[in-house]
Amino acid sequence: MEPVVESIYLAATEAASGKSAVALALLEHLARRAGRVLPFRPIVASVGEDELLDTLRERLGPDAPSTRALCGVAYEEMHEDPEQAMSAIVDRFHAIGDQADVVLVIGSDFGDISAPTEFATNAQIAAHLGSRMVLVLPAGLRAPSAVAAAVEVALHAAEDSHATIAGVIVNQSVVADSERIATAVAERVGPVPVVTLPDVPILRAPTVQDLAEACDGDLAHGDESLLDREAMAIIVAAMTMPHVLDRLVEGAVVVVPADREEVVLGALLAHRSSTFPSLSGLILNGGFEVSPQLSRLIDGIDVQLPLITCAAGTMQTVSALARAKGRITPRSSRKIEAAITTLGDTLAGSSLLAALDLPDTPDVVTPLMFEHRVVDAARAADAHIVLPEGAEPRILEAARQVRERGIARLTLLGDRAAIEAANRTIGLDLDDVTVLDPHDEQWRHRFAGEYARLRSHKGMTIDQALDVVVDPSYFGTLMVHDSLADGMVSGSITTTAATVRPALEIVKTAPGVSIVSSVFLMCLADRVLVYGDCAINPDPNADQLADIAISSAQTARQFGIEPRVAMLSYSTGSSGTGADVDKVRAATKLVRERAPELLVEGPIQYDAAVDPHVAATKLKDSPVAGRATVLVFPDLNTGNNTYKAVQRSARAVAIGPVLQGLGRPVNDLSRGALVRDIVNTTAITAVQAGHGGSR
């Protein structure tokens, strides 16, 4: 008999239910408490190809199984031989179940057979898998009684298939109707938990790429990467320009015949203007060629906005666009964040997750689980973080996500006009952040006086300081020093030195700390380890190594990791000799003197530190050996190479470097940092600020 696999079956009762967004939100929140959660789709259009699975795999990290491994069978296989297909689904489900604490099974997409038959098929699969079903249905504009009736029909169909219903999610509800809908549905389902989720327009919105495909259009001008931006409205410009301007809304796509060049130009200028909404694209219909004169003008004003050309007339084009549906893909960053925050937060506060009674796995910490813990801690800290590289597109996109997720309050540094121009394609609400220009004379003189005072022992004058403080990194660090911000994140377009040097000059080290160092938070498949110092100090002496160990242990505590410190060397215990081993031995002694409460072992080899079986042969009575969570490397060469080797070979997620030892939190980004890296580093800085600094 195969072991029971803990699983939830998310099934829509009809098409266009928003099931994909709900799946994304549910997966994220299951991962917070249930260890390793993996998705599984019993029926897909083509095995190995599924946009939703691709999106979920991106959230799970690099060690997630392949999309093919997470698929059951194709629609075609289910049609040809239902019995054989069902057997294959069960086998592949259990193969995934062997790798997970919980499996989130996501039902089919109503793209191939009639709705009643397809739902019944999903209910049968759920019964065969032993999965409890959570129903998803859209409320839309239906009355509460109609929604309740639809739920009741689905319940009867599930009962006929011997499936168990564990919850009902009514999606896309108008806020004003949500309570009445919940009451009406609850009367029909009895003790089954009912959750109403709000309608989030961006989740239903097609992208500009979706619209281009719908009307068989081609990109004539603009940035191809902006085709992934959502179209929040479609405006037909069949009127004079003033009336078109009155109707523009944020994120709209304007449809206009290509020979109406005055309207095309007016829409482009409105998009560039700070007094009108930012558009998502223009669709130039009618099959007309864009004139050479207009093309030259567009090139000259550096318009990145996508301009799509298509051959159809206005009526045919608009009809085709109306049929385009929004999808969630790995590139849908706005949809993903909206699902996680808006839908996810509602789910987290509902009775549904508690009613599912999922197993707790406290000894397992997956990368996704750790990321959520950091974000939750950052929200609780309510810190104010300054981002000096305010006009950098990655910073702006990260800022948008940080604000939407409530991770931190933000200040962006830079010329406001440059920030506004860069933000036209991002969509960050600049009213929701503070924007400061380091060249503002009032701020410049205030910080110059402070910097000259701090560096007077180095001969710094006011005149010299006036030139220094306009550097955004110095300006941001002075904000942190003066408690105008709780922390700073920089380095996406500048060197590590440009971030660290101002911090050393202005913020300086924390009391009792002799050296600034760093750690990487290494997220393995089932745990998080702290590696220090892999980024800052080339060859620390014994005294400095002891400080690094104590600071690393404190950092571990800040992020919910119980510190058990391993002072690494090429030998274990008293067996080795030589200057390098003696340094580690001396550092271990200093750690025990300075922080007697810490569990520390050294010198110790890496395998003895993390592998209980090796530890049993080398240091069987050690409370650290085989269970180390903080690994302190003897030098930068060893640490940097080890973290990169583990990152690549074990497919670990490396978060960092996280700076420590400073009086206030300042963190450096790599110049190749992705948006997700910037968001995570901002959250980490906020957590450090909530703990009173980076020590």
Side-chain angles (χ1 to χ4, degrees), residues 15 109 118 146 176 199 236 265 288 295 401 465 474 482 566 635:
D109 288 332
E118 186 152 352
D199 182 39
V236 182
L265 182 58
F288 306 108
S295 291
Q401 294 186 22
Y474 275 92
D482 279 8
D635 55 66

Side-chain angles (χ1 to χ4, degrees), residues 95-119:
I96 289 298
D98 291 340
Q99 306 173 50
D101 297 301
V102 177
V103 178
L104 177 62
V105 186
I106 306 161
S108 54
D109 288 332
F110 288 83
D112 196 69
I113 50 182
S114 65
T117 304
E118 186 152 352
F119 179 78

Side-chain angles (χ1 to χ4, degrees), residues 290-336:
V290 177
S291 71
Q293 296 90 339
L294 182 59
S295 291
R296 193 171 73 211
L297 185 61
I298 293 170
D299 291 338
I301 59 176
D302 190 28
V303 173
Q304 297 179 315
L305 188 72
L307 271 64
I308 309 297
T309 58
C310 69
T314 300
M315 181 64 73
Q316 186 179 353
T317 300
V318 174
S319 298
L321 299 181
R323 293 191 293 270
K325 305 298 182 184
R327 302 172 297 151
I328 295 181
T329 74
R331 302 180 304 278
S332 307
S333 61
R334 299 168 192 270
K335 285 187 172 71
I336 291 168

